[in-house]
Amino acid sequence: MCCLLRPFQLLYLLLFLLNFQPNLSSSSSSSSITQLCSPEEAAALIQFKTSFSIDESSSWWCDYYSKISYPKTNSWKEGLDCCSWDGITCDNVNGQVIGLDLSCSWLYGSIASNSSLFHLRHLQKLNLAFNYFNLSKMSSKFGQFASLEYLNLSEAYFRGQVPSQVSHLSKLVSLDLSGNYIQTLDKHTLKGLIENLTKVRQLVLDDINMSSISSNALMNLSSSLRILSLVGCGLIGKIPENIFHFSQLRFLGLSYNYFSGQIPSSLTNLRHLEFLYISNNQLEGSIPNEVTAFPNLISLDLSFNLLNGTLPSWLYTVSTLKHIALENNKLSGDIKEFQYNSLEEISLGNNKLKGPIPSSISHLVNLTFVDLSNLIGIVEVDMFSKLQNLQVLDLSYNSLSLSSNGVSANYTLPNLQGLYLSSCNVSEFPQFLRGSESLKRLDLSNNRISGKIPKWMWDVGKDSLWNLNLSHNSLTDFEQIPWKEIEYLDLSSNFIHGDLPIPPSTTMVFLISNNSLSGEIPSLLCNANNLEYLDLSHNNLSGIIPQCFGNLSRGLFVLNLQMNKFHGPIPSVFTKGCPLYYLNLNGNQLEGPLPQAIVNCRRLEVLDLGNNKINDTFPYWLESLTQLRVLVLYSNQLHGSIHGPWSSHSFSEIQNFDLSSNYFTGPLPVKYIKNFKVMINLTVDESEMSYMGTGGRAPGDFYGYSTRIAIKGQEMELEKIFSGFTSIDLSNNEFQGEIPKVIGKLDSLRELNLSHNNLSSCIPTTMGNLTALESLDLSSNKLVGKIPEQLTSLGSLEVLNLSQNQLVGPIPKGKQFNTFGNDSYAGNLGLCGFPLSKSCDNTEAPIFPEEADSEFGFEWKAALMGYGSGLVFGISAAYIMFTLGKPRWLVRMVEEVGYKLKRYLKGRKNL
Ligand SMILES: *[C@@H]1O[C@H](CO)[C@@H](O)[C@H](O)[C@H]1NC(C)=O
Ligand SMILES: *[C@@H]1O[C@H](CO)[C@@H](O)[C@H](O)[C@H]1NC(C)=O
Ligand SMILES: *[C@@H]1O[C@H](CO)[C@@H](O)[C@H](O)[C@H]1NC(C)=O
Ligand SMILES: *[C@@H]1O[C@H](CO)[C@@H](O)[C@H](O)[C@H]1NC(C)=O
Ligand SMILES: *[C@@H]1O[C@H](CO)[C@@H](O)[C@H](O)[C@H]1NC(C)=O
Ligand SMILES: *[C@@H]1O[C@H](CO)[C@@H](O)[C@H](O)[C@H]1NC(C)=O
Ligand SMILES: *[C@@H]1O[C@H](CO)[C@@H](O)[C@H](O)[C@H]1NC(C)=O
Ligand SMILES: *[C@@H]1O[C@H](CO)[C@@H](O)[C@H](O)[C@H]1NC(C)=O
């Protein structure tokens, strides 16, 4: 789902709406004796029924929100009075069908314009929510129900434009088109709605894309609104001030938009407000703080904004409040004592608030949800000991004081379902978990827990725990995984040794990278056939990759086996429909040819097979993987010349193309380079960091792709790949001939390495067009001619290596060129000018240097000088690169996600 509401928000909207149904004038229940429905309307209803098939999954949202769901149309039988059918309401007096409620009725199919639904002319109330209308367009005929007062098409899977005719429904009191996700509403339709729907009191348009509409267009909304919900509508700009004058408003939902600016103090005019949800916007400034504000507020969510200042004083006194969600803002100051006990949920995490937690919290007996992560100060866990209703407790990123350290706690939290104590400096499993039977999620990542899992933990959540994160601790043993229901298990970055533990068959995500596992992969692992993410990277696992991975490849989205000791061929186990997005086998000893079956994985975005012993010609068939973004084949035994592509679209999504350190011959793959469309005109919003990953498409939404790529000559593992990062590395092969001019088209290319080949042309002047280039390495070739003056326009260039060529003439002056040192030009005897000591006074004679001893010996020495002068160079260069603050995306990457600098000698064939 693109914009997930907190369940409580939606739930409260639903509950609230239940108590708030508009009165329909002449409706009555079906039991009345008076009139029978007309044969025409009965026929229309039967025809409507038969235009659908019944499919329970059409109404799965109903289960999610605990709504009763069954196929109401099953009771519809010809010959009976249709007024007695389920979901039908008739007028007492004349028997006309005035109400149709088929919400949660398992309907599957489309509603076309010729549907008999539109024959029901007298409808006052129509509810088709929570069915599956096949992503069909909402018909303009919906605008023809002249008497309609209530229209509800929520969660019904309509697509496309909301028809402007909806604004003809001028009697509407309630309109709900929420949750259709791919519907749009344009300016004119909205204007029509505002002009004509003067009676509307409930307007729920969540998830309809209104991004083409300026928020000012909402200025004239009816001030008699009781419910206004525009969640996830893509609205931009300031929140229209007038909304804060709707004195009747009880429910205001504007979460998940792009509203900016301050919250006007007139917000406190909304004295009837019970529900206020404006989370996930970009609001700044402080929260209005009028002591007597919001006397009726029940639920407040302003989380995920940029709000600062202190917590408003009314927060401590509005005795109706049950939910406070203010996490992920910039609020500061301390948390005062609460003067009422009704609170059920409190989320203040990820602000700049100071501890201690007020002692009144320990009296809020109805608290079920507490997020007080990331406070400044020490947190006493035991103060929660009396909160026996507690279901979720998040105290991550705090300095925890567990008074029970080492001894058995004298209390338990019997209803606890989620406990989050990540990065709390905890050295053992918290004792109060003993006997917890309903625990579902436990996050103890990034602590100091060492050794084995204590036996008593095996019973904690034995039949309920499904999400367990113990990564980044010091666990050493993990022989078995006792939790039967586990789905997500992260044991990465510990010191677990011995055999690979086998997760139960329920497991979908199993991450155990960065440990010391050894031995072969037991074929038992393949029984875990629900696996979607499997990461065994950075261990000492050996043996062959078992054939039974064929079973797994039917469900895997991510397979990461990099940096182990697997040998033998890559098994040809990728079957038709293989859903892999990410396949990483880098850094093993895999041999033989590449199995062509990989093309069955049509969604593949990252294929990293670098650092193996694969012996093959260039795998042209990879061209059919149209989603491929990262192709890394460096340091293998690939050979032959590259002729492709065979299709003009192949590799058009490629961002990182690394064939370095192989034995490729012939000209550079110029036709592929022509196809790299993504490297042209790539626009990335660098202020909004985004990384490549399965986010959003594959279930899970969390796995960031990593790969090992050379950045500015340093081989490093990128734990996350910034989506704007582009590179071509063809170094260390036997390519010959010229550098193609067309390369100048790749104006979004950041890294280009063609070094250590036999290229013998001039440097094309078009390379001056590579304005995004940050690193250019053409060293150790046989390039001739002058360095083109145009290269001075490479304003982002930070690393330049042209050494060991046969270049002549003056080195260009100015801009970036003033920052490069001698090393950039070494071994070109014909170059002169700054920074070389040789001046250009009489350089008419371009003496071609002797064929330098460019045999491996010399090249290798150069390589060692460049890359190999030890990790020291690597780290300090990286340090400088990052601390100078340029490029920004890398700095942020380091700050935000961390990275692992890993150096690998690239000159394997020279060894
Ligand atoms: C629309 O129908 C659904 C399902 O019955 C209900 O939960 C929701 O509250 C309704 N919306 C309005 C505005 O009444
Ligand atoms: C509606 O029109 C389609 C063709 O556009 C036809 O196949 C279908 O039978 C019609 N349905 C009804 C209820 O008339
Ligand atoms: C208002 O509704 C009437 C019919 O109820 C319709 O004729 C008119 O076009 C509507 N106006 C707008 C702006 O949609
Ligand atoms: C709001 O209504 C006023 C008066 O009818 C009109 O002048 C103005 O243009 C309307 N504003 C918008 C944004 O539609
Ligand atoms: C809050 O942020 C605003 C800018 O949005 C700034 O002007 C103000 O000084 C900040 N206040 C505090 C208390 O940090
Ligand atoms: C706690 O919840 C129960 C059940 O909803 C309610 O009866 C009781 O009044 C609540 N306690 C407080 C202090 O609000
Ligand atoms: C647990 O023991 C401490 C003293 O060690 C005591 O203060 C506290 O009240 C006890 N808690 C319970 C729930 O018995
Ligand atoms: C690319 O470079 C060539 C040669 O320097 C120049 O003539 C051409 O205009 C440039 N193209 C673009 C799109 O800048």
Side-chain angles (χ1 to χ4, degrees):
M1 289 306 127
C2 61
C3 6
L4 268 184
L5 276 179
R6 282 160 182 280
F8 77 71
Q9 291 190 2
L10 196 57
L11 196 67
Y12 272 83
L13 179 57
L14 297 180
L15 290 176
F16 190 67
L17 292 168
L18 277 184
N19 292 328
F20 203 86
Q21 298 300 347
N23 288 330
L24 293 179
S25 40
S26 51
S27 65
S28 80
S29 90
S30 51
S31 61
S32 94
I33 11 108
T34 43
Q35 282 284 334
L36 299 184
C37 84
S38 74
E40 291 78 20
E41 290 195 320
L45 285 167
I46 291 289
Q47 201 180 3
F48 185 60
K49 166 186 171 174
T50 53
S51 66
F52 298 102
S53 44
I54 295 295
D55 182 340
E56 185 170 3
S57 63
S58 304
S59 300
W60 70 275
W61 275 109
C62 305
D63 289 346
Y64 193 80
Y65 292 110
S66 313
K67 300 170 81 69
I68 295 165
S69 134
Y70 65 95
K72 292 186 190 162
T73 53
N74 277 1
S75 71
W76 294 12
K77 299 270 159 50
E78 273 172 279
L80 295 177
D81 176 16
C82 80
C83 295
S84 67
W85 295 347
D86 222 344
I88 310 284
T89 312
C90 292
D91 186 307
N92 290 348
V93 181
N94 53 27
Q96 287 165 346
V97 175
I98 54 168
L100 178 59
D101 181 353
L102 290 180
S103 58
C104 292
S105 292
W106 308 11
L107 301 181
Y108 181 103
S110 320
I111 302 181
S113 307
N114 60 358
S115 165
S116 57
L117 171 69
F118 303 113
H119 300 170
L120 302 169
R121 293 270 160 194
H122 312 289
L123 281 182
Q124 297 171 13
K125 180 170 177 174
L126 176 58
N127 189 347
L128 298 174
F130 294 82
N131 288 292
Y132 190 92
F133 296 125
N134 218 4
L135 303 176
S136 56
K137 203 170 158 341
M138 185 180 157
S139 166
S140 59
K141 292 268 182 71
F142 277 100
Q144 291 181 5
F145 294 111
S147 312
L148 210 58
E149 295 174 17
Y150 178 96
L151 177 60
N152 191 338
L153 300 177
S154 160
E155 309 284 352
Y157 295 87
F158 282 108
R159 159 156 73 184
Q161 284 274 346
V162 173
S164 61
Q165 288 81 354
V166 173
S167 62
H168 297 179
L169 302 171
S170 53
K171 294 201 170 139
L172 275 185
V173 176
S174 173
L175 176 63
D176 186 349
L177 301 177
S178 63
N180 284 298
Y181 296 103
I182 36 186
Q183 265 195 321
T184 53
L185 185 81
D186 66 20
K187 201 160 62 188
H188 301 292
T189 309
L190 182 67
K191 195 154 178 278
L193 287 178
I194 291 174
E195 274 173 34
N196 252 3
L197 273 50
T198 51
K199 297 188 173 148
V200 76
R201 291 176 163 212
Q202 310 181 355
L203 191 57
V204 184
L205 301 177
D206 300 349
D207 299 301
I208 294 184
N209 183 349
M210 302 186 190
S211 55
S212 66
I213 298 177
S214 119
S215 61
N216 284 336
L218 304 171
M219 281 305 281
N220 286 348
L221 275 172
S222 157
S223 62
S224 50
L225 278 171
R226 306 290 201 277
I227 297 176
L228 177 62
S229 198
L230 301 172
V231 173
C233 293
L235 290 163
I236 300 171
K238 295 219 152 65
I239 300 179
E241 174 90 19
N242 68 314
I243 287 182
F244 302 114
H245 298 287
F246 294 175
S247 55
Q248 299 301 313
L249 213 54
R250 281 152 169 84
F251 189 109
L252 179 60
L254 300 174
S255 299
Y256 293 90
N257 283 296
Y258 302 96
F259 287 122
S260 53
Q262 307 226 350
I263 304 178
S265 57
S266 53
L267 176 69
T268 55
N269 292 345
L270 303 178
R271 300 197 60 80
H272 291 293
L273 208 58
E274 295 173 21
F275 301 87
L276 176 59
Y277 300 138
I278 321 183
S279 74
N280 297 76
N281 278 280
Q282 289 151 21
L283 299 174
E284 51 185 29
S286 56
I287 302 174
N289 192 359
E290 184 184 304
V291 187
T292 57
F294 308 121
N296 296 300
L297 201 61
I298 295 172
S299 193
L300 170 73
D301 186 356
L302 300 174
S303 62
F304 291 88
N305 279 292
L306 305 165
L307 298 167
N308 65 9
T310 54
L311 296 174
S313 58
W314 47 264
L315 217 53
Y316 306 107
T317 53
V318 175
S319 61
T320 46
L321 259 176
K322 290 186 173 169
H323 310 112
I324 298 174
L326 295 173
E327 77 273 18
N328 289 79
N329 279 292
K330 296 175 174 173
L331 300 166
S332 55
D334 48 9
I335 310 172
K336 302 205 166 62
E337 300 291 347
F338 290 91
Q339 290 162 32
Y340 54 97
N341 289 338
S342 55
L343 268 189
E344 292 171 8
E345 304 197 6
I346 180 163
S347 292
L348 299 174
N350 285 323
N351 280 291
K352 294 175 180 162
L353 294 165
K354 281 207 303 280
I357 296 172
S359 59
S360 53
I361 290 245
S362 54
H363 305 302
L364 303 178
V365 291
N366 281 355
L367 268 185
T368 58
F369 185 105
V370 173
D371 170 4
L372 292 171
S373 56
N374 228 332
L375 297 180
I376 305 168
I378 292 180
V379 171
E380 294 275 349
V381 179
D382 292 347
M383 72 187 301
F384 299 97
S385 64
K386 298 211 172 67
L387 306 183
Q388 298 288 298
N389 291 309
L390 209 54
Q391 293 176 9
V392 175
L393 180 59
D394 185 348
L395 298 174
S396 296
Y397 300 95
N398 282 309
S399 262
L400 276 205
S401 146
L402 280 166
S403 75
S404 59
N405 245 353
V407 291
S408 314
N410 60 355
Y411 66 94
T412 59
L413 297 171
N415 290 305
L416 203 60
Q417 296 182 14
L419 178 64
Y420 303 82
L421 299 178
S422 174
S423 309
C424 288
N425 210 8
V426 170
S427 59
E428 57 164 12
F429 288 88
Q431 295 281 343
F432 62 80
L433 283 178
R434 271 181 196 267
S436 274
E437 282 177 5
S438 44
L439 197 69
K440 292 180 179 161
R441 304 178 65 136
L442 177 59
D443 183 355
L444 292 171
S445 62
N446 209 3
N447 280 297
R448 295 183 293 125
I449 303 174
S450 57
K452 285 187 177 184
I453 306 268
K455 272 266 162 54
W456 60 264
M457 265 304 292
W458 291 21
D459 287 328
V460 171
K462 191 170 52 173
D463 300 313
S464 57
L465 193 66
W466 68 268
N467 187 321
L468 177 60
N469 189 346
L470 297 175
S471 66
H472 295 91
N473 276 288
S474 306
L475 296 166
T476 51
D477 291 275
F478 222 103
E479 288 132 41
Q480 54 165 316
I481 299 169
W483 302 281
K484 291 202 288 282
E485 298 296 326
I486 208 87
E487 287 178 19
Y488 178 105
L489 181 57
D490 189 350
L491 301 175
S492 55
S493 298
N494 277 284
F495 303 110
I496 302 170
H497 57 79
D499 291 342
L500 176 70
I502 301 297
S505 65
T506 46
T507 313
M508 296 160 91
V509 178
F510 184 40
L511 314 176
I512 191 166
S513 59
N514 286 294
N515 278 288
S516 308
L517 298 170
S518 55
E520 304 192 355
I521 296 184
S523 54
L524 262 179
L525 178 66
C526 300
N527 292 349
N529 56 5
N530 284 308
L531 276 176
E532 293 176 352
Y533 297 77
L534 179 61
D535 189 345
L536 309 179
S537 63
H538 296 276
N539 278 291
N540 289 317
L541 295 165
S542 56
I544 58 164
I545 300 175
Q547 277 293 332
C548 72
F549 265 50
N551 294 344
L552 294 186
S553 84
R554 275 185 252 276
L556 280 178
F557 296 115
V558 164
L559 177 58
N560 192 347
L561 302 180
Q562 70 169 314
M563 302 306 293
N564 277 288
K565 293 182 178 147
F566 295 114
H567 67 84
I570 300 175
S572 183
V573 294
F574 308 95
T575 49
K576 258 216 157 57
C578 149
L580 272 183
Y581 286 89
Y582 176 93
L583 176 60
N584 194 335
L585 304 177
N586 190 308
N588 283 286
Q589 289 146 31
L590 299 167
E591 53 203 36
L594 277 176
Q596 196 158 343
I598 290 176
V599 297
N600 285 326
C601 309
R602 306 201 74 89
R603 298 173 180 169
L604 208 60
E605 296 186 346
V606 176
L607 180 60
D608 184 348
L609 304 176
N611 254 321
N612 278 291
K613 296 180 180 163
I614 297 164
N615 190 337
D616 207 335
T617 53
F618 183 76
Y620 296 104
W621 38 265
L622 288 178
E623 289 179 27
S624 64
L625 297 175
T626 53
Q627 310 296 314
L628 204 59
R629 297 169 76 180
V630 177
L631 178 61
V632 176
L633 297 174
Y634 76 81
S635 215
N636 274 290
Q637 292 164 19
L638 298 166
H639 51 83
S641 54
I642 302 179
H643 302 293
W646 307 109
S647 134
S648 58
H649 300 300
S650 45
F651 293 155
S652 59
E653 297 293 318
I654 288 272
Q655 278 181 233
N656 305 105
F657 188 72
D658 187 346
L659 305 183
S660 62
S661 299
N662 278 289
Y663 299 92
F664 288 115
T665 54
L668 290 173
V670 54
K671 291 180 180 160
Y672 282 125
I673 291 172
K674 274 187 189 158
N675 265 10
F676 292 161
K677 304 263 159 52
V678 165
M679 301 194 198
I680 302 173
N681 234 335
L682 179 66
T683 48
V684 215
D685 181 0
E686 302 206 358
S687 66
E688 211 174 281
M689 291 299 286
S690 60
Y691 303 96
M692 282 192 225
T694 54
R697 286 155 308 155
D701 200 10
F702 61 87
Y703 194 87
Y705 297 156
S706 68
T707 191
R708 194 166 292 121
I709 271 180
I711 293 186
K712 303 192 178 31
Q714 305 303 310
E715 186 84 16
M716 48 172 94
E717 178 164 343
L718 290 184
E719 245 184 25
K720 309 230 165 154
I721 311 172
F722 172 58
S723 15
F725 182 63
T726 49
S727 64
I728 297 178
D729 192 344
L730 302 173
S731 64
N732 247 314
N733 278 285
E734 290 157 20
F735 288 115
Q736 316 163 349
E738 56 167 25
I739 300 178
K741 295 192 184 56
V742 63
I743 207 156
K745 287 213 165 133
L746 307 181
D747 58 7
S748 305
L749 183 62
R750 295 192 194 229
E751 308 267 333
L752 178 62
N753 190 345
L754 303 176
S755 69
H756 295 87
N757 279 293
N758 288 317
L759 303 172
S760 54
S761 66
C762 298
I763 301 175
T765 54
T766 56
M767 287 184 83
N769 294 350
L770 296 174
T771 47
L773 211 58
E774 291 167 5
S775 166
L776 175 62
D777 189 349
L778 303 176
S779 64
S780 298
N781 277 290
K782 294 179 180 139
L783 299 171
V784 296
K786 292 185 175 176
I787 302 175
E789 201 60 37
Q790 284 85 345
L791 294 195
T792 53
S793 37
L794 303 183
S796 310
L797 201 62
E798 289 167 46
V799 175
L800 175 70
N801 192 348
L802 302 176
S803 66
Q804 309 302 334
N805 276 294
Q806 294 160 18
L807 299 166
V808 297
I811 293 170
K813 292 199 184 69
K815 296 186 188 159
Q816 303 301 104
F817 273 79
N818 293 344
T819 67
F820 304 128
N822 285 3
D823 295 351
S824 296
Y825 311 103
N828 289 281
L829 299 184
L831 286 176
C832 63
F834 180 83
L836 302 179
S837 52
K838 185 176 166 193
S839 79
C840 292
D841 297 340
N842 42 7
T843 46
E844 267 319 297
I847 312 154
F848 278 21
E850 265 182 62
E851 282 279 299
D853 53 340
S854 75
E855 270 313 298
F856 290 151
F858 185 81
E859 247 185 347
W860 178 230
K861 268 182 264 158
L864 265 184
M865 270 153 54
Y867 308 117
S869 46
L871 210 46
V872 183
F873 172 76
I875 288 173
S876 60
Y879 180 73
I880 291 164
M881 190 159 93
F882 296 135
T883 50
L884 286 183
K886 211 185 153 197
R888 198 151 50 100
W889 59 270
L890 257 180
V891 178
R892 295 264 243 115
M893 183 167 71
V894 173
E895 283 171 6
E896 290 181 20
V897 288
Y899 72 101
K900 282 176 282 175
L901 191 69
K902 281 264 163 62
R903 242 190 85 259
Y904 283 93
L905 280 181
K906 297 200 69 185
R908 179 191 49 79
K909 79 174 170 187
N910 291 319
L911 280 176

